[in-house]
Amino acid sequence: MVEVPHPGMGPAAVRAGQRRAAAQKPRSADPLVSESPLLEIYQGCPLCGADSRRLGTADCTGHPLWHAPLPGTLEWMECEACGHVHTRGFWTAAGLAEVFRNLNETQVLRASDNIDAIRATWAPVVERVIGLLGGYRQAMAAPEPPAWVDVGCGNGGLLMAAGDFGFSAMGVDARSETAEQLRGLGFNAVSGNFVDVPLAKRFHIDVLSMMDVLEHLPYPKRALEKAARIVRPGGVLVVSLPDLTC
């Protein structure tokens, strides 16, 4: 369910188009949308398994990150039971490799980046988490520093900021190049699918962050279920998501 926010591509835009074309019955099988070796089609809602209805389609070819052979059309669905909005399919391993071939430069560190500025951007998030943990003194009261795992760590900004505040920080990213780059800078990072990486066996987790991550996972419920298992009682789960109305 890899979705890149872009004007005219989101569910709100699709709904607007759907209203304008309400008299037109959508096709049940669009080869441009539903048939691609890079995509696997959902058999139902990825959250609850119920049937989903088609909201409409959007053209992705105008997006700067689009390139062939990625499908040129994004198809939006809405679960008839729980209301979850999702794409019709999700990337296969080959699809992910193709998506990552043109890696978004804002998600990796570049030589021209101001690392201090990147860290400072995430400082308010860390400060708020510390408040939720009872303040700095209480958060750091244990003999070992509290553990923070950042899923989808990208350029490492939040990972670095958490470390600056005294957390034992670890990053997880689906892209091996990203994790390798961060390790080369001295940070703890691993690559892999969050659901499959055995984090709980590594250390006790006090904070788990998933910033703009859930909407990219084929089955986000599984990620939330894992988060509930591995974050300690009284710990903090930090999640950010795109606005469905955009």
Side-chain angles (χ1 to χ4, degrees):
M1 193 171 61
V2 178
E3 300 148 11
V4 182
H6 188 266
M9 289 174 57
V14 170
R15 282 198 178 98
Q18 185 185 40
R19 288 192 294 269
R20 290 192 298 269
Q24 298 179 2
K25 183 178 180 181
R27 292 172 293 174
S28 59
D30 185 342
L32 293 176
V33 177
S34 303
E35 298 178 8
S36 169
L38 304 180
L39 289 172
E40 184 172 341
I41 304 304
Y42 287 113
Q43 300 305 307
C45 171
L47 283 185
C48 72
D51 291 338
S52 294
R53 65 183 182 89
R54 189 184 193 215
L55 286 177
T57 61
D59 182 6
C60 302
T61 57
H63 193 278
L65 293 181
W66 182 87
H67 60 278
L70 294 176
T73 307
L74 184 69
E75 185 173 8
W76 289 99
M77 312 290 290
E78 183 175 40
C79 178
E80 296 178 347
C82 71
H84 177 57
V85 175
H86 60 91
T87 49
R88 184 177 181 87
F90 58 93
W91 299 117
T92 62
L96 282 176
E98 186 59 43
V99 170
F100 292 153
R101 182 165 66 85
N102 286 4
L103 188 64
N104 188 344
E105 290 188 354
T106 65
Q107 297 177 333
V108 296
L109 281 176
R110 298 163 295 184
S112 59
D113 285 338
N114 185 332
I115 295 180
D116 289 337
I118 293 173
R119 300 159 95 114
T121 299
W122 290 104
V125 174
V126 181
E127 290 172 346
R128 183 169 183 182
V129 168
I130 289 174
L132 293 172
L133 291 173
Y136 190 81
R137 185 183 297 274
Q138 182 172 333
M140 302 294 165
E144 297 293 328
W148 185 314
V149 174
D150 183 32
V151 181
C153 56
N155 63 14
L158 180 52
L159 178 71
M160 298 175 193
D164 291 342
F165 279 82
F167 287 89
S168 175
M170 173 182 177
V172 180
D173 202 277
R175 295 154 295 193
S176 58
E177 298 88 347
T178 300
E180 183 178 355
Q181 182 187 45
L182 290 172
R183 287 196 300 270
L185 294 172
F187 298 99
N188 186 9
V190 297
S191 61
N193 185 327
F194 166 64
V195 175
D196 299 326
V197 174
L199 296 175
K201 296 180 180 179
R202 294 175 179 268
F203 46 69
H204 193 69
I205 297 175
D206 299 275
V207 182
L208 180 72
S209 53
M210 292 188 283
M211 314 305 287
D212 297 332
V213 169
L214 286 175
E215 71 273 19
H216 297 282
L217 302 180
Y219 295 95
K221 183 179 178 181
R222 297 177 185 175
L224 291 173
E225 290 172 340
K226 178 171 182 176
R229 291 195 305 269
I230 64 177
V231 176
R232 69 166 176 82
V236 177
L237 173 63
V238 187
V239 174
S240 69
L241 291 165
D243 187 345
L244 180 65
T245 63
C246 291

